[in-house]
Amino acid sequence: MADHLRRVEEELRRVVQSDEPFLTEVARHLIDAGGKRVRPALTITASQATTTEPGPASLDAIRGGVAVELVHQGSLYHDDVIDGADTRRTVESVNSRFGNLEAILAGDYLLARASEIAADLGTEVASLLAGTIARLCEGQVRELGSAFDVDRTETAYLESIAGKTAVLLATAARIGGIVAGLSRDEVEALTSFGHHYGMAFQVVDDVLDLVATDGQLGKPAGNDLVEGVYTLPVIRTLAGSAGPDLRSMLGGPMDLATRDRARDLVRADAAITDTVATAHGFTDQARRDLASLPPTPAIRTLQVTCDLLADQMSPFS
């Protein structure tokens, strides 16, 4: 995978080159900051799901993964403008360094480049990526609509993360299956895996926002509370014995001292353990999604990916 991801990095930098040097600089800002490249790794692994002796990934798999990563990067540019974020991946956010207008334009540019690659990979991939971008927008709108809503439901939360996070991971896996020419049943199994893994991924991320440090996250911890994004642990704490105290702190802007008190309430509540159990349920379903596929090296890698995500939750189980 290290060689595959090296090729992804090279392709990412190549495709965002513009005749306008400043646009290239802004478009590369987060790419140069690094990242785990979970989405392209999933595309590449899915493309080799039925291969008993995997070799170098195909160019189509590399480019498919790059297209998904560009959509992810573009959405981060836009999200940081919406949130007024100052940092991302331990570096200054694009909007903070270059300005909101520049961040929006660069985010649009990344989405356009992603669409260009998808068109090269065929009409099915192009249609899939366009639909995914629409779903991402819908998920973000749902989240904005529930900002500072202390009555946000678990159902509303799950619908939002399905559109905000899981859809892109499902698409990453699906593109891998499509470009590899896998059967329709195999493509559907990989897509379902990507969805359930993505749901677990976001639930874990939301737990970490409440229990991890700024350094561990690469961004301010507890920022969701400040932004009025009440995630599953918060929703469940509100429904419990600590609910009245927590509710009195939420529902509007808060200072950092109030944020810390709210975090402490949630961290002391059984809601953290309950939410971790929900994440485990999603990873368990993701593993079951792979049951119909042959036990190839790629499938074993996907199973290990679920194990690694579960390991992040072990201190809070």
Side-chain angles (χ1 to χ4, degrees):
M1 184 55 70
D3 183 61
H4 296 156
L5 293 182
R6 177 189 58 75
R7 292 170 63 197
V8 165
E9 295 297 326
E10 291 173 353
E11 187 68 5
L12 277 170
R13 285 164 174 76
R14 188 188 70 79
V15 299
V16 301
Q17 289 288 335
S18 167
D19 292 337
E20 172 51 59
F22 178 69
L23 181 56
T24 300
E25 180 185 2
V26 180
R28 284 186 53 170
H29 181 69
L30 281 189
I31 293 172
D32 290 342
K36 296 178 181 177
R37 308 296 187 235
V38 172
R39 293 152 192 86
L42 180 53
T43 300
I44 292 165
T45 305
S47 74
Q48 300 187 337
T50 61
T51 305
T52 56
E53 296 183 10
S58 70
L59 179 58
D60 283 353
I62 296 292
R63 286 176 59 77
V66 165
V68 176
E69 182 66 15
L70 289 173
V71 170
H72 174 57
Q73 297 274 346
S75 71
L76 294 181
Y77 279 39
H78 292 161
D79 286 353
D80 284 347
V81 171
I82 293 169
D83 297 340
D86 295 323
T87 59
R88 168 74 67 174
R89 294 176 182 163
T90 72
V91 300
E92 193 174 10
S93 65
V94 174
N95 51 297
S96 178
R97 178 170 179 178
F98 299 103
N100 284 339
L101 293 178
E102 290 81 358
I104 291 169
L105 288 170
D108 291 345
Y109 176 71
L110 295 176
L111 295 176
R113 287 301 195 198
S115 299
E116 189 176 20
I117 294 170
D120 286 343
L121 295 175
T123 55
E124 184 176 5
V125 174
S127 176
L128 173 61
L129 201 68
T132 299
I133 293 170
R135 289 278 310 279
L136 287 171
C137 293
E138 291 167 354
Q140 188 62 52
V141 166
R142 287 192 186 96
E143 188 165 283
L144 289 172
S146 64
F148 298 105
D149 181 6
V150 293
D151 295 314
R152 188 185 195 190
T153 65
E154 291 193 18
T155 298
Y157 164 80
L158 293 173
E159 287 176 349
S160 177
I161 69 169
K164 194 180 80 167
T165 301
V167 67
L168 195 54
L169 285 157
T171 293
R174 191 173 187 85
I175 288 176
I178 291 169
V179 300
L182 302 187
S183 73
R184 207 39 39 172
D185 286 346
E186 291 164 342
V187 169
E188 295 300 335
L190 290 166
T191 303
S192 187
F193 169 86
H195 168 78
H196 289 114
Y197 178 80
M199 295 294 285
F201 187 92
Q202 186 60 55
V203 172
V204 170
D205 191 66
D206 291 340
V207 170
L208 292 176
D209 182 70
L210 293 161
V211 301
T213 66
D214 293 7
Q216 289 169 326
L217 293 172
K219 58 183 179 179
N223 194 58
D224 286 341
L225 286 169
V226 175
E227 296 297 329
V229 179
Y230 302 148
T231 56
L232 194 55
V234 175
I235 293 168
R236 289 180 173 172
T237 303
L238 284 166
S241 60
D245 286 343
L246 182 60
R247 184 177 288 262
S248 70
M249 302 178 197
L250 306 182
M254 61 170 60
D255 57 30
L256 296 184
T258 305
R259 179 204 65 186
D260 291 343
R261 290 199 303 273
R263 281 182 72 200
D264 289 344
L265 268 180
V266 178
R267 292 168 73 170
D269 195 88
I272 293 292
T273 302
D274 291 344
T275 301
V276 168
T278 297
H280 278 298
F282 283 124
T283 56
D284 289 345
Q285 181 57 57
R287 291 186 187 94
R288 288 193 291 271
D289 292 330
L290 301 174
S292 63
L293 296 167
T296 61
I299 296 303
R300 288 195 290 273
T301 296
L302 295 179
Q303 292 166 338
V304 169
T305 300
C306 290
D307 296 338
L308 293 173
L309 191 58
D311 287 345
Q312 291 188 55
M313 300 181 278
S314 58
F316 317 111
S317 299

